Amino acid sequence: QVQLVESGGDLVQAGGSLRLSCATSRSIFRVATLGWYRQAPGKQRELVARITSGGGTSYVDSVEGRFTISRDNAKNTVALQMNSLKPEDTAVYYCNAIVPRNYGSENYWGQGTQVTVSS
């Protein structure tokens, strides 16, 4: 059973910062593409940022320049540093792992952590 354990969600004022963290096992962390998604009420879940096992990153346009995704190889964690937060960043944030298998890939999700940005 693959586990992704998230932490760091909170209530913050607009313009503030938060750091989300997601921990998983070493065997998963080493090979997976890791990402953060978010889902606001009444909206579809969207990809926010992604980092490959080799360290390549990508971001949705709305967070480019404000959010940074990173991997900590010593702690087997992926972090999302969120700066200059806006009320529209309010959502439940989910950690995601895409794990390559011999037959394709498997997708795993964390339980979600709430981020609320007040205006």
Side-chain angles (χ1 to χ4, degrees):
Q1 182 76 13
V2 174
Q3 282 192 316
L4 301 172
V5 180
E6 300 138 334
S7 61
D10 207 344
L11 169 64
V12 64
Q13 287 190 335
S17 297
L18 278 177
R19 185 176 180 87
L20 304 183
S21 184
C22 173
T24 188
S25 65
R26 177 64 182 163
S27 62
I28 297 299
F29 179 85
R30 187 173 57 86
V31 300
T33 291
L34 299 166
W36 288 95
Y37 286 70
R38 66 186 178 188
Q39 187 165 20
K43 294 188 177 182
Q44 289 188 332
R45 190 175 296 189
E46 67 168 351
L47 175 63
V48 175
R50 178 176 283 167
I51 185 166
T52 68
S53 57
T57 60
S58 59
Y59 300 89
V60 67
D61 287 347
S62 60
V63 308
E64 187 79 55
R66 299 189 297 124
F67 290 11
T68 302
I69 190 170
S70 60
R71 301 171 73 109
D72 187 329
N73 293 332
K75 297 181 179 180
N76 301 327
T77 59
V78 57
L80 184 68
Q81 178 66 42
M82 305 186 292
N83 299 328
S84 303
L85 282 161
K86 304 175 181 180
E88 50 264 42
D89 294 318
T90 295
V92 178
Y93 283 70
Y94 297 91
C95 182
N96 170 264
I98 301 173
V99 181
R101 304 295 191 191
N102 291 336
Y103 46 84
S105 63
E106 289 183 341
N107 218 5
Y108 299 95
W109 295 94
Q111 78 282 1
T113 186
Q114 177 70 47
V115 171
T116 303
V117 184
S118 63
S119 57

